[in-house]
Amino acid sequence: MPVVPPARSSSPLVALSTASVYPESTEAGFELAAELGFDGVELMVWNDPVSQDLRTVERLAARYRVPVLAVHAPCLAVTQRVWGTDPLQRLRRSGEAASYLGAATVVVHPPFRWQRNYALAFADTVEEIARRYDVALAVENMFPLRRAGMHAVPYAPSEDPTDVGYRYYTIDLSHTAAAGMDALALMDRMGSGLEHVHLTDGSGSTRDEHLVPGRGNQPCAEVLERLVHSDFTGVVVLEVSTRRCRTRHDRAALLAESLLFTQLHLQSSVPSVSMSAQVPAQGRHSATESHSLDAQPAGPQR
């Protein structure tokens, strides 16, 4: 039986993406979420066998008393063989997984351009799965690839899901940074369809950095404050890179900073402040330290 999510207060629930503990395991994501006081986790389904085994995930949720609030479908470049090679089947299995685990949301990326049949069937399949499993399939904004003066959009039809129009969306603030996109304007375009937030940051680099919120140039505080004053009923997920942390203590410090930032700015009366001075020095790293998701194919890409 799935772990029941905590009762909603006036603020959105705050979850930890299990991708945020990479290169540690999926279980480490549950453990740290419990230790730091997150409301739940977003399960990244990727090459870690535990993330693909729903019964094992269910046992982890029960052991640590941390519910799975969302499932990130294996639609990444490094997960093309997770749950089979058919992307439509992976999407269906993700909906089934969310239903089994009691999660309300499945995060999914737009199709890659070379997945032509998948791209043609994508919108209809998203709706079909949402109805069948009573979950929200929230399509995430992505970013173009820019290398040595080259610019390519690997997603069909673009990196902006509002160009197509879906019932539910995920906004990712590292992706808006890498795309040079106005996050608040994107939030406006998503409107009432905004179901899910990947809270993270970026410096405006062409790389997908997934910085701790407040360490880049994205309007993380403003996004959270808008959620408080809107009808948002989804989940805010901390999806930050801790790949360069040398110890569990360092990793926990970054995640604790991220959680504190989020909780503060989900209180509408709190002004925007920098959090960097409130975290132990051994848990800090420069805002220029980034996790280039394209340059690190061994890790979970978001």
Side-chain angles (χ1 to χ4, degrees):
M1 179 178 297
V3 176
V4 178
R8 283 195 179 274
S9 65
S10 57
S11 296
L13 299 179
V14 181
L16 176 66
S17 169
T18 58
S20 292
V21 305
Y22 178 80
E24 291 197 68
S25 65
T26 297
E27 180 170 1
F30 281 89
E31 184 178 3
L32 279 167
E35 289 178 359
L36 296 174
F38 283 86
D39 295 315
V41 300
E42 175 182 296
L43 174 69
M44 169 65 78
V45 181
W46 74 296
N47 296 328
D48 180 352
V50 169
S51 72
Q52 304 168 31
D53 186 333
L54 300 187
R55 291 187 178 180
T56 300
V57 171
E58 185 179 37
R59 287 194 292 270
L60 290 176
R63 179 185 306 164
Y64 293 105
R65 298 184 179 181
V66 173
V68 178
L69 299 178
V71 171
H72 195 308
C75 49
L76 315 171
V78 296
T79 59
Q80 295 302 294
R81 294 188 179 276
V82 171
W83 286 348
T85 58
D86 181 352
L88 291 173
Q89 181 61 20
R90 289 198 296 270
L91 202 56
R92 293 188 178 97
R93 288 195 64 175
S94 299
E96 180 181 12
S99 179
Y100 178 86
L101 295 169
T105 304
V106 174
V107 179
V108 60
H109 293 180
F112 291 114
R113 286 188 176 274
W114 58 83
Q115 296 174 311
R116 294 185 180 181
N117 292 336
Y118 179 48
L120 289 173
F122 181 73
D124 289 341
T125 305
V126 162
E127 284 299 309
E128 169 207 323
I129 295 168
R131 289 193 301 270
R132 179 174 181 180
Y133 294 107
D134 192 25
V135 296
L137 272 73
V139 185
E140 185 173 3
N141 62 294
M142 300 304 293
F143 54 95
L145 302 180
R146 290 177 282 179
R147 297 286 187 277
M150 299 290 290
H151 181 282
V153 177
Y155 302 98
S158 77
E159 70 272 24
D160 183 350
T162 66
D163 287 345
V164 174
Y166 299 98
R167 195 194 315 184
Y168 301 112
Y169 298 103
T170 296
I171 189 170
D172 183 301
L173 298 182
S174 178
H175 295 176
T176 57
M181 190 179 295
D182 184 328
L184 297 178
L186 177 61
M187 197 175 179
D188 287 339
R189 292 197 297 277
M190 290 178 170
S192 61
L194 178 59
E195 176 71 16
H196 203 68
V197 176
H198 279 170
L199 189 69
T200 180
D201 213 334
S203 68
S205 165
T206 59
R207 294 177 295 176
D208 186 16
E209 298 168 293
H210 285 274
L211 301 178
V212 168
R215 296 192 178 190
N217 62 14
Q218 293 302 285
C220 299
E222 291 89 338
V223 166
L224 293 173
E225 289 158 12
R226 281 196 182 193
L227 297 179
V228 172
H229 292 98
S230 71
D231 295 326
F232 181 76
T233 59
V235 176
V236 176
V237 175
L238 270 300
E239 193 184 63
V240 300
S241 173
T242 64
R243 180 178 60 88
R244 295 187 179 186
C245 292
R246 294 184 178 180
T247 67
R248 168 66 70 86
H249 181 276
D250 292 345
R251 177 164 290 111
L254 288 187
L255 297 177
E257 178 187 346
S258 301
L259 179 59
L260 179 58
F261 180 101
T262 305
Q263 291 173 331
L264 282 174
H265 291 291
L266 286 175
Q267 301 175 37
S268 59
S269 62
V270 176
S272 301
V273 295
S274 170
M275 299 301 300
S276 59
Q278 302 183 41
V279 177
Q282 62 265 38
R284 296 182 191 161
H285 61 84
S286 168
T288 60
E289 287 190 13
S290 63
H291 179 186
S292 173
L293 300 179
D294 303 305
Q296 300 293 332
Q301 304 179 24
R302 280 83 80 184

